[in-house]
């Protein structure tokens, strides 16, 4: 009887620790999202800005999938393994061949680079897609974390400086 209670306690601890809690976070407006996704640079050279973006994305482990300089379009993606051996073990143990668990995260990036008078405007959009062990899409969400974009644009700022100085 005590072994059964201990096993039940361990199992419930595992199940409840793996569930996600939904905290009510106020949804950002389209204008708020656009503001932190956009940065303006004091240069008219959109090609140089695109080159800096290209380099920053590659430095961050992204594979650039498409670049159209005339349209100011740049797309890239990065795959990250998020598989947890503990979750995989329990999924296989309890579900067998039908087991499913989070396997990888694909971070997709899209850049829109456009001339804006004497400046260049860059709007970045990141989307996170979670896949299971069979390659099925579990979730797709737009990245709406301001700090994420601030950190990214900080790297772009440095990349543009490097491009301008031809380092």
């Amino acid at each position: 009887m005590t072994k059964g209670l201990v096993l039940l306690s361990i199992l419930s601890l595992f199940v409840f620790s793996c569930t996600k809690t939904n905290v009510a976070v106020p949804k950002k407006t389209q204008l708020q999202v656009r503001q932190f996704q956009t940065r303006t640079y004091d240069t008219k050279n959109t090609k140089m800005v695109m080159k800096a973006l290209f380099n920053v994305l590659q430095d961050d482990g992204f594979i650039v999938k498409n670049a159209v300089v005339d349209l100011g379009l740049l797309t890239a993606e990065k795959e990250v393994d998020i598989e947890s051996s503990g979750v995989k073990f329990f999924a296989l143990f309890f579900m067998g061949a039908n087991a499913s668990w989070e396997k990888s995260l694909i971070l997709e990036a899209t850049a829109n680079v456009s001339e804006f008078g004497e400046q260049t405007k860059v709007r970045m959009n990141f989307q996170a897609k979670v896949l299971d062990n069979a390659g099925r899409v579990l979730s797709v969400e737009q990245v709406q974390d301001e700090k994420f974009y601030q950190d990214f644009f900080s790297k772009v700022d440095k990349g543009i400086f490097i491009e301008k100085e031809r380092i």
Side-chain angles (χ1 to χ4, degrees), residues 24-114:
V25 178
K27 189 154 174 74
K28 293 177 173 66
T29 67
Q30 184 178 4
L31 182 60
Q32 289 171 320
V33 172
R34 187 176 286 203
Q35 282 179 328
F36 62 74
Q37 288 180 335
T38 306
R39 181 75 54 98
T40 304
Y41 294 98
D42 289 325
T43 180
K44 205 172 172 177
N45 189 346
T46 57
K47 186 176 178 183
M48 183 265 301
V49 172
M50 282 192 69
K51 182 71 174 161
L53 278 169
F54 192 102
N55 287 331
V56 168
L57 287 166
Q58 282 189 317
D59 291 346
D60 275 353
F62 283 82
I63 302 297
V64 176
K65 297 289 187 176
N66 194 13
V68 183
V69 178
D70 293 342
L71 295 176
L73 173 70
L74 188 66
T75 61
E77 70 178 38
K78 170 182 175 176
E79 186 168 352
V80 180
D81 183 13
I82 59 171
E83 181 176 74
S84 165
S85 57
V87 172
K88 178 181 175 181
F89 171 78
F90 281 104
L92 287 169
F93 183 77
F94 289 109
M95 299 296 291
N98 298 324
S100 175
W101 60 89
E102 291 182 348
K103 171 76 175 142
S104 61
L105 175 115
I106 297 176
L107 191 57
E108 299 172 336
T110 303
N112 178 1
V113 182
S114 53

